[in-house]
Amino acid sequence: MYSNHAKIAMKRNLNFLASAIAMLLLSTAFLGCRDKCKRVTCVNGTCVDGTCNCDSGYFQEDCGSVINVGFVGTWTSTEACTAGSDGGSVAVAVSGASKTEVSLVGLWDFVDDTIRATVGPNGLDVSIARQAVGAVEVAGEGLANASQDELNLTYRVYNTGQTVAFDVCTAALTKN
């Protein structure tokens, strides 16, 4: 039927084909393992190299949390200011339909006045752009812990139109 030479050639071809199929399967498996996003779910964002890049207004590892929602609630504040110390209750709410803005009521002597703040893309940085509050102006910044249940704020109080603050406060807020 087949000569010895033909049998050897056929055996080589089969060995080559088996090796090629094995290499193809291994390379497919290897490339599948290299897809770092294969097992990553990004709720509100896209996966790049195994890490979620969150859409604007979302944070956490899976982009599943709206940035400002974790701040909503009643907080206990202890304030140390250059013009004295204060403390009390601060109410934090989402500001409008924004995913990054919050409103704070109860800092300093602003018992009934609202201060607007913006939460940064990491969900932890808080900034208070200079704004009129009652008869004065306020500006500041702060940092929350990863759970968004502790917030340290430093803010400055200015007479309207002045460049030097007449009071500087550090507030430690803890969510109730």
Side-chain angles (χ1 to χ4, degrees), residues 108 110 113 130-139 156-167:
W108 198 61
F110 307 123
D113 294 321
R130 190 160 172 166
Q131 60 196 270
V133 181
V136 296
E137 295 177 344
V138 178
R156 295 160 299 287
V157 184
Y158 302 85
N159 284 316
T160 303
Q162 298 297 307
T163 57
V164 177
F166 70 83
D167 202 1

Side-chain angles (χ1 to χ4, degrees), residues 17 25 88 127 140 150 159:
L17 183 60
L25 291 173
S127 62
E150 293 179 1
N159 284 316

Side-chain angles (χ1 to χ4, degrees), residues 118-136:
T118 302
V119 181
N122 63 3
L124 307 176
D125 295 319
V126 176
S127 62
I128 300 170
R130 190 160 172 166
Q131 60 196 270
V133 181
V136 296

Side-chain angles (χ1 to χ4, degrees), residues 2 8 15 20 23 25 34 48 56-57 61 68 72-73 77-78 119 128 135:
Y2 292 108
I8 292 172
N15 284 341
M23 286 178 59
L25 291 173
R34 290 184 59 202
V48 176
S56 179
E61 191 172 311
N68 60 2
V72 174
S77 172
T78 304
V119 181
I128 300 170

Side-chain angles (χ1 to χ4, degrees), residues 68 71 90-98 100-107 110 112-120 125-134 136-142 151 153-156:
N68 60 2
F71 288 94
V90 176
V92 179
V94 170
S95 185
S98 171
T100 58
E101 291 185 22
V102 293
S103 59
L104 298 94
V105 177
L107 284 177
F110 307 123
D112 296 319
D113 294 321
T114 299
I115 296 173
R116 293 174 322 281
T118 302
V119 181
D125 295 319
V126 176
S127 62
I128 300 170
R130 190 160 172 166
Q131 60 196 270
V133 181
V136 296
E137 295 177 344
V138 178
E141 58 282 323
L151 174 62
L153 280 176
T154 299
Y155 63 94
R156 295 160 299 287

